[in-house]
């Protein structure tokens, strides 16, 4: 007599629905399509226009970063589109679309089962195929205004590449952990390598996001799953080792950002306050501010406590769930959240997985590793998907308790109409609003003025905004007076606040603006200071400007001194010859 095969305690992930993938892809592309008319802005001027991204292997764009995948994408765009900005924006949109699809693919691996409330009547077949909670998470990521910066600004495509690669690796790795298969293993390894070549954050995300599933697999009673979990952990470690060796070979100088000279309590309080300042961006009522100007705070301020409370609240569900792990022979899609257990699930069981992912996503905002900017909306690129998962998990828990209570007290587990229609109505209203805000944001990337002027007006301490406005007025419109105003604002002391600025580049442009506005002496003082640490790749230009100004004053000795280190430079050699002629009797 045939016997039935024992089934795991949770359902297998639903098959890939091409309709759902098409809906996510269309939403992600359409809401950002207005950026196709944009121009080159921000770091595009150096990476693309000036050609600083000129090789796949080596420092990325004269920085300390190692991003060969991003460099390859920029070089391919230059080969395909030349200097046409629309082609680069098209690539950004396609990468954001891929990232949106990757979110849909990775929802079971990241968050487990977000719907299908126990005790509810079976959903229609069409609804089960669509997997509405999974679709909602992906759509929230695809259209939320926090996705505007990576999708619309060419130089922020590393974020889309990172999310697309990491989440596809996790989805493929989760499939391999459950079912095996060489194709899933190869996809996971390939996407993991692409993620590490896209942005340094992948070195933290890959092990952190894979940890729950690997740990649960290792504690599983099934020998084959334990073996796969061990192999998976070794594969992640191998990828990180290969990445570290490749980075050391390609970028020997490494990468270092000095911390602000603040006492540790003030440093921690300021970072927590910066996190709290970004929380309203999750509402999506308007485009997130690009300003990273962060007030220096102490524990006497309210914002650090709000940021700390957020982190503690997110830490509680994963910690509570860890204490209840048990080797039961089944491997959930997310080790921190079983799909459907026979025993009632508590609030921590529902929230543990999305809360852990939230911690991983928020880590760059905490300053554990010093970053150039204390605050930026691209740090929260994946956050809308995580918040959507948290809300769905919370709603799942509340609906389950409501059904259980009604079944015991009234014998009817049906939810009232307002509880079924209300959340859907609110979600639709939010989706329409987010789509409008995001689509309108495409107009902001027309040039640096439209991109930075609104945020500089709201946040005068936004030094980098002043820097790029000054660059635009100096290099594009040749308005030296307006350029000088913004460039001087970019390097002006601002006590009580921190903000990133590329001071060397600002001083270099400011020297030119001062010469053009009749202040050559001020320009020469700036250049003498700048010569100690010139902008990357511009030491010869600094020397040339110093030599020209010295010759204007007929100071041949200084002109010869500053040109001496560059005997093979044509223009500097010509200036040296001119200086020697001045010294001739």
């Amino acid at each position: 007599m045939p016997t039935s095969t024992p089934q795991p305690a949770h359902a297998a992930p639903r098959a890939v629905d091409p309709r759902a993938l098409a809906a996510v892809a269309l939403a992600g592309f359409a809401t950002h399509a207005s950026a196709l008319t944009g121009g080159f802005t921000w770091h595009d001027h150096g990476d693309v226009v000036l050609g600083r991204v000129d090789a796949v292997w080596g420092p990325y764009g004269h920085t300390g970063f190692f991003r060969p995948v991003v460099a390859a994408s920029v070089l391919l765009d230059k080969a395909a589109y030349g200097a046409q900005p629309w082609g680069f924006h098209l690539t950004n949109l396609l990468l954001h679309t891929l990232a949106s699809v990757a979110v849909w693919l990775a929802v079971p691996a990241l968050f487990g089962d977000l719907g299908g409330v126990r005790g509810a009547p079976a959903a229609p077949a069409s609804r089960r195929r669509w997997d509405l909670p999974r679709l909602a998470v992906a759509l929230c990521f695809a259209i939320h205004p926090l996705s505007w910066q990576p999708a619309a600004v060419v130089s922020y495509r590393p974020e889309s590449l990172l999310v697309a690669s990491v989440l596809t690796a996790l989805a493929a790795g989760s499939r391999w952990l459950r079912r095996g298969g060489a194709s899933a293993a190869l996809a996971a390894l390939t996407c993991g390598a692409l993620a590490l070549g896209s942005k340094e954050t992948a070195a933290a995300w890959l092990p952190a996001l894979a940890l729950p599933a690997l740990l649960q697999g290792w504690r599983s009673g099934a020998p084959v799953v334990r073996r796969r979990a061990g192999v998976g952990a070794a594969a992640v470690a191998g990828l990180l080792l290969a990445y570290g060796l490749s980075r050391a070979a390609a970028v020997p100088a490494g990468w270092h950002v000095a911390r602000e000279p603040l006492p540790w309590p003030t440093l921690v309080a300021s970072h927590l306050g910066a996190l709290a300042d970004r929380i309203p961006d999750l509402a999506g009522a308007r485009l997130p501010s690009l300003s990273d100007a962060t007030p220096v705070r102490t524990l006497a301020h309210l914002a650090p406590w709000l940021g700390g409370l957020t982190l503690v609240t997110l830490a509680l569900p994963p910690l509570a769930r860890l204490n209840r792990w048990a080797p039961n022979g089944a491997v959930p899609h997310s080790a921190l959240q079983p799909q459907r257990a026979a025993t009632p699930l508590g609030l921590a069981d529902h929230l543990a997985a999305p809360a852990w992912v939230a911690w991983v996503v928020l880590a760059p905002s905490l300053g554990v590793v010093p970053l150039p900017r204390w605050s930026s909306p691209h740090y929260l690129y994946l956050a809308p998907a995580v918040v959507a998962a948290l809300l769905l998990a919370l709603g799942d828990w509340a609906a389950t308790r409501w059904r259980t209570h009604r079944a015991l007290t009234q014998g009817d587990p049906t939810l009232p109409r307002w509880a079924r229609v209300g959340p859907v109505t609110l979600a639709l209203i939010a989706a329409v609003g987010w789509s409008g805000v995001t689509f309108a944001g495409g107009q902001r990337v027309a040039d640096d003025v439209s991109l930075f002027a609104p945020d500089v007006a709201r946040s005068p301490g936004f030094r980098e905004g002043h820097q790029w406005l000054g660059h635009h007025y100096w290099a594009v419109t040749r308005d030296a007076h307006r350029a000088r105003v913004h460039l001087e604002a970019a390097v002006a002391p601002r006590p009580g606040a921190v903000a990133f600025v590329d001071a060397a580049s600002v001083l270099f442009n400011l020297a030119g603006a001062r010469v053009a506005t009749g202040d050559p002496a001020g320009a020469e003082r700036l250049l003498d200071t700048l010569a100690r640490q010139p902008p990357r790749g511009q030491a010869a230009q600094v020397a040339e400007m110093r030599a020209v100004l010295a010759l204007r004053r007929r100071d041949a000795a200084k002109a010869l001194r500053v040109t001496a280190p560059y005997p093979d430079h044509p223009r500097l050699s010509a200036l040296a010859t001119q200086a020697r002629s001045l010294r001739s009797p």
Side-chain angles (χ1 to χ4, degrees), residues 497-581:
V498 292
F500 170 76
V501 67
D502 186 348
S505 295
V506 171
L507 293 176
F508 182 76
N509 287 331
L510 180 56
R514 283 187 173 180
V515 170
T517 54
D519 185 15
E524 194 166 2
R525 288 193 298 271
L526 282 179
L527 291 168
D528 289 343
T529 302
L530 190 59
R532 303 188 189 102
Q533 191 174 358
R536 289 177 182 265
Q538 293 182 292
Q541 291 177 270
V542 172
E544 182 179 356
M545 291 181 68
R546 294 177 72 200
V548 168
L549 292 174
L551 289 172
R552 281 190 178 186
R553 296 187 294 102
R554 305 186 67 80
D555 187 346
K558 181 176 181 179
L560 288 171
R561 186 171 64 252
V562 299
T563 57
Y566 308 94
D568 299 325
H569 192 286
R571 291 195 300 273
L572 287 169
S573 296
L575 291 171
T577 301
Q578 185 178 348
R580 283 190 289 269
S581 67

Side-chain angles (χ1 to χ4, degrees), residues 35-399:
L36 286 172
T37 61
F40 289 127
T41 59
W42 213 334
H43 301 295
D44 306 346
H45 300 295
D47 294 347
V48 180
V49 178
L50 297 180
R52 290 177 187 164
V53 177
D54 53 7
V56 172
W57 187 262
Y60 177 77
H62 297 180
T63 68
F65 296 130
F66 176 56
R67 298 176 177 177
V69 175
V70 183
S73 73
V74 172
L75 293 175
L76 287 172
D77 277 355
K78 290 181 72 173
Y81 307 115
Q84 299 298 319
W86 70 267
F88 292 81
H89 284 290
L90 176 61
T91 299
N92 266 46
L93 262 64
L94 293 175
L95 289 174
H96 172 67
T97 301
L98 287 176
S100 303
V101 170
V103 170
W104 188 91
L105 293 172
V107 164
L110 285 174
F111 307 121
D113 189 10
L114 295 172
V117 179
R118 287 177 291 110
S126 60
R127 181 179 180 275
R128 289 199 301 271
R129 285 196 300 270
W130 275 100
D131 195 352
L132 294 183
R134 185 177 181 180
L135 183 63
V137 171
L139 288 176
C140 185
F141 170 83
I143 67 175
H144 196 280
L146 276 170
S147 65
W148 161 73
Q149 184 183 6
V153 181
V154 173
S155 54
Y156 279 86
R157 68 173 54 170
E159 304 303 320
S160 300
L161 281 166
L162 170 73
V163 169
S165 302
V166 168
L167 296 193
T168 304
L170 289 172
S174 177
R175 180 183 180 88
W176 175 79
L177 191 61
R178 295 189 314 272
R179 304 180 183 179
S183 59
L186 180 61
L189 288 171
T190 302
C191 291
L194 290 174
L196 290 167
S198 298
K199 195 177 180 186
E200 294 72 16
T201 308
W205 277 21
L206 276 174
L209 295 178
L211 176 64
L214 293 174
L215 186 57
Q216 180 71 8
W218 181 255
R219 299 182 63 175
S220 169
V224 65
V225 175
R226 284 176 58 89
R227 186 162 57 250
R228 288 176 189 159
V231 172
V236 172
L239 281 174
L240 294 176
L241 177 61
Y243 167 73
L245 294 174
S246 300
R247 178 183 172 81
V251 191
W255 175 73
H256 175 71
V257 175
R259 290 188 183 275
E260 292 288 336
L262 298 173
W264 275 99
T266 303
L267 190 70
V268 172
S270 299
H271 275 295
L272 291 175
L275 173 61
D277 292 341
R278 283 292 173 188
I279 291 177
D281 288 340
L282 294 169
R286 66 178 187 181
L287 289 177
S289 173
L290 298 175
S291 174
D292 68 330
T294 303
V296 175
R297 294 181 169 108
T298 66
L299 294 177
H301 294 88
L302 177 62
W305 291 99
L306 293 176
L309 180 62
T310 300
L311 295 177
V312 170
T313 303
L314 291 172
L316 293 177
L319 292 175
R321 179 68 190 120
L322 282 172
N323 294 331
R324 290 198 290 275
W325 274 353
N328 55 13
V331 183
H333 304 133
S334 172
L336 291 172
Q337 185 185 38
Q339 293 281 322
R340 288 294 147 195
T343 57
L345 299 178
L347 181 59
D349 298 294
H350 285 267
L351 298 181
W356 170 251
V357 179
W359 252 95
V360 175
V361 170
L362 292 176
S365 301
L366 305 181
V368 178
V369 176
L371 297 172
R373 297 169 185 82
W374 278 45
S375 174
S376 178
H378 77 276
Y379 293 161
L380 300 180
Y381 182 38
L382 190 56
V386 180
V387 172
L390 281 167
L391 293 176
L392 286 166
L394 184 63
D396 189 9
W397 170 79

